[in-house]
Amino acid sequence: MTRKIIKYLSFIFITLISVFSLQAQRLTLPSTEQSADILQRFDWKFRMMDSIIFRASSTPYFSEILDTAKLEFNNIERVDEVDNAVKAKVNLMKSQTGLEFTGQAYVRPGSGVSYDPDDPLVAYNAKLQAELRWDIFNSSIYKRGSKKKELLIEGELNQLNYVKDDLAEQLLYLKQYLNNQHYSRLLSVMTMHSENIDLLLETQVYLLENGKISGDDLLKLVNEKSELDRQLISLQIDSIRPADYIPQAVAYICSIDTAGIMKSIRENNIEIKKLGLRHDLLSAKIRNTDYAQTMNIEPFVRYSYYNRKYVNNTYNIDLGVSFRLPISKEVSKKRRVMEAEQDVLDYEQRILESETTNGIFLAFQELKMYNENIRGEYQRMKNLRDFLSMRTHSYSNVDGEYSRITRLQEYNAFLQAWERLLEYTYRRDCVLLNLQGYLLYSPVADYIEFEVLN
């Protein structure tokens, strides 16, 4: 009930302003050919503005963020070359058998030089020796699973780096697309505004030349026109539509699934995932770093064949183990270094999560602010539309001349509110785009619902 009373009182207030203003707005232009042309152009402007302001909305836009044809982050593909490189490294690791085959063959140059001819069992003039040795702890059999996991984690880190680049490229493209769409809409409205100012300037100059108006109003229009032209120059460069394109004067506010987007960010944020993978990589490296890998415990089989001059040739087979055991604390110190690096990563992750959370909640607050700005500016446009509707009816019934300058300035007030609405909508979409930067494959549009303002 209270809202109805306020709306009714606002209607009466606007009507009274309209009536009183009409009485004060009577202004007679000198009757000349130029003044007739100016009046005719004013009338054409009024008809054009009415057709735009009071037309029915047909296909209003929501937000460029929802244009999934332009934003398909869930279709980001893995880089095959990275996966192939990981497979090659895994196959290389699996091929490390730890087996080593060695051999040697040699002859002794002759009696009295290389052997004692009086002992035929010791003396030989040639020898062939072959040995098969197995380095167990440096073969793929030892810790195969954890070594493979280390390679896979490194591959996932590389994949994320490429995904980050791909995502950044798509965000850059979408930002440019969003800018161009916004510039196109704003260009069309500001062009109408600028053309209205042109007509007002021409009229003011004409009146000034005929001693009908002070130069103060003209100076204000010149300043307003200069600022519009400055903005139009940059808009025309980046716009993708002609200036005669007219957007829909509609507005949408958005609500966002804050819990859902926070959950998705915790699971999919690239930098957070990278820190987690780096932590897992260090864990795998710690597991793969042990004292056994510094040892050389190598069982072997050795075959020796002797070519003898005075007795039958002989051979023998030896089974044994060779070993090397380093005496140091190098391994334990390496593990402590990697554990300390993990602590640093944990600290970085806490800082990143805190910064991300703060950034997300700041974005939520900005969305709330822009929702209110959009709601307020659209309400201003509705009030101005109602006011202009009543004024149009009053102007059509007025007896005699009235100030067309004032009437066109009223239309400009609507256009200025429209420009602010477009600007708030654009800034809102930029916040949504920034939110997308925190996500990975999940489009931010999945967490947004738009509500049309009536």
Side-chain angles (χ1 to χ4, degrees):
M1 180 63 69
T2 303
R3 293 181 64 184
K4 290 183 177 179
I5 293 174
I6 293 175
K7 186 175 182 180
Y8 178 72
L9 292 175
S10 299
F11 177 81
I12 294 176
F13 177 71
I14 292 174
T15 304
L16 290 174
I17 291 178
S18 176
V19 173
F20 292 142
S21 297
L22 281 173
Q23 298 300 318
Q25 288 169 1
R26 298 179 183 277
L27 183 62
T28 303
L29 293 176
S31 180
T32 63
E33 183 177 343
Q34 184 179 359
S35 67
D37 177 68
I38 291 175
L39 291 174
Q40 184 178 7
R41 287 161 59 194
F42 267 106
D43 291 338
W44 178 84
K45 271 291 181 192
F46 298 151
R47 289 193 298 271
M48 185 196 74
M49 295 301 301
D50 286 341
S51 67
I52 293 172
I53 293 174
F54 300 114
R55 65 175 175 165
S57 299
S58 54
T59 55
Y61 76 97
F62 286 82
S63 163
E64 304 309 331
I65 300 296
L66 285 185
D67 191 351
T68 54
K70 305 294 181 182
L71 181 62
E72 297 179 345
F73 292 101
N74 53 340
N75 290 333
I76 293 178
E77 297 180 354
R78 295 179 66 86
V79 179
D80 292 337
E81 290 78 3
V82 174
D83 286 336
N84 292 337
V86 172
K87 290 179 183 178
K89 290 178 181 179
V90 170
N91 290 333
L92 175 63
M93 181 271 295
K94 290 180 179 179
S95 68
Q96 295 171 348
T97 62
L99 293 171
E100 182 182 34
F101 181 79
T102 61
Q104 56 184 348
Y106 52 88
V107 297
R108 290 181 169 177
S111 170
V113 177
S114 302
Y115 58 86
D116 183 2
D118 296 333
D119 189 349
L121 293 179
V122 174
Y124 59 88
N125 63 338
K127 178 181 178 182
L128 173 66
Q129 182 173 296
E131 180 178 297
L132 180 63
R133 186 179 294 266
W134 186 25
D135 189 351
I136 300 175
F137 296 114
N138 287 300
S139 69
S140 61
I141 292 179
Y142 184 70
K143 293 184 177 293
R144 171 179 286 202
S146 57
K147 290 178 182 177
K148 179 180 179 181
K149 184 175 182 180
E150 184 176 332
L151 294 173
L152 293 177
I153 293 174
E154 289 177 346
E156 287 303 309
L157 276 170
N158 290 332
Q159 283 285 358
L160 280 183
N161 288 330
Y162 286 105
V163 167
K164 181 180 179 181
D165 293 339
D166 194 0
L167 178 60
E169 184 177 350
Q170 290 201 45
L171 287 173
L172 181 62
Y173 165 78
L174 184 59
K175 183 177 181 180
Q176 187 61 48
Y177 176 81
L178 179 64
N179 289 344
N180 291 340
Q181 293 290 343
H182 168 64
Y183 293 152
S184 298
R185 295 186 175 99
L186 193 57
L187 175 64
S188 62
V189 177
M190 293 186 70
T191 298
M192 289 187 290
H193 189 180
S194 179
E195 290 172 350
N196 289 353
I197 296 294
D198 286 336
L199 182 54
L200 289 173
L201 275 172
E202 183 179 346
T203 305
Q204 295 282 24
V205 170
Y206 176 78
L207 291 173
L208 184 62
E209 290 174 347
N210 288 271
K212 296 290 185 178
I213 196 168
S214 69
D216 294 341
D217 293 332
L218 181 60
L219 180 59
K220 292 178 183 178
L221 285 173
V222 169
N223 289 333
E224 186 176 353
K225 173 65 175 174
S226 298
E227 178 60 23
L228 277 173
D229 288 345
R230 182 189 65 79
Q231 297 181 52
L232 285 171
I233 290 174
S234 61
L235 292 177
Q236 289 167 348
I237 294 175
D238 296 311
S239 174
I240 59 175
R241 289 173 178 159
D244 58 0
Y245 159 74
I246 307 298
Q248 296 289 340
V250 294
Y252 286 80
I253 58 173
C254 70
S255 58
I256 190 164
D257 179 7
T258 56
I261 202 169
M262 289 300 296
K263 180 176 181 295
S264 180
I265 286 172
R266 283 192 296 269
E267 295 173 352
N268 298 317
N269 179 267
I270 291 179
E271 295 303 326
I272 292 177
K273 286 179 71 71
K274 286 175 64 177
L275 282 174
L277 286 173
R278 287 170 60 191
H279 191 283
D280 293 342
L281 180 60
L282 283 173
S283 296
K285 287 178 180 282
I286 290 172
R287 286 193 297 271
N288 293 334
T289 302
D290 57 17
Y291 182 74
Q293 288 181 309
T294 67
M295 299 186 302
N296 287 103
I297 299 179
E298 303 174 355
F300 65 86
V301 178
R302 181 185 300 133
Y303 171 82
S304 301
Y305 180 83
Y306 299 90
N307 181 271
R308 304 181 185 279
K309 187 174 182 181
Y310 301 107
V311 294
N312 294 332
N313 297 337
T314 61
Y315 70 90
N316 61 278
I317 296 176
D318 298 314
L319 300 177
V321 176
S322 67
F323 58 88
R324 180 180 65 86
L325 304 177
I327 302 175
S328 73
K329 295 183 178 180
E330 181 182 358
V331 172
S332 61
K333 291 185 180 299
K334 282 183 178 180
R335 292 170 64 93
R336 289 195 192 100
V337 168
M338 288 185 282
E339 289 168 355
E341 290 175 351
Q342 280 187 318
D343 292 339
V344 173
L345 288 179
D346 290 339
Y347 176 77
E348 288 183 16
Q349 184 158 354
R350 290 195 298 271
I351 295 297
L352 179 60
E353 289 177 349
S354 176
E355 291 176 348
T356 301
T357 301
N358 292 337
I360 294 300
F361 280 111
L362 179 61
F364 292 160
Q365 291 298 316
E366 289 180 325
L367 287 176
K368 181 179 179 181
M369 177 188 69
Y370 286 128
N371 276 342
E372 293 304 315
N373 288 334
I374 291 170
R375 191 191 303 273
E377 210 58 54
Y378 189 67
Q379 184 61 46
R380 186 199 306 271
M381 291 176 66
K382 284 183 60 179
N383 293 340
L384 286 170
R385 187 186 288 113
D386 294 339
F387 173 74
L388 290 171
S389 177
M390 292 185 296
R391 297 284 274 175
T392 298
H393 177 73
S394 300
Y395 286 130
S396 64
N397 296 323
V398 70
D399 184 17
E401 289 295 330
Y402 63 90
S403 175
R404 288 169 173 79
I405 292 176
T406 301
R407 183 177 180 184
L408 193 56
Q409 288 173 336
E410 292 167 355
Y411 285 114
N412 280 350
F414 181 87
L415 293 178
Q416 288 173 330
W418 198 352
E419 292 165 8
R420 288 190 293 269
L421 174 67
L422 290 173
E423 186 65 26
Y424 290 138
T425 302
Y426 167 71
R427 293 181 183 179
R428 187 272 316 280
D429 287 355
C430 287
V431 175
L432 295 177
L433 189 57
N434 290 336
L435 280 177
Q436 180 63 65
Y438 287 103
L439 299 169
L440 187 56
Y441 301 106
S442 182
V444 70
D446 292 348
Y447 306 95
I448 304 170
E449 290 186 2
F450 280 86
E451 173 191 351
V452 63
L453 295 178
N454 298 315

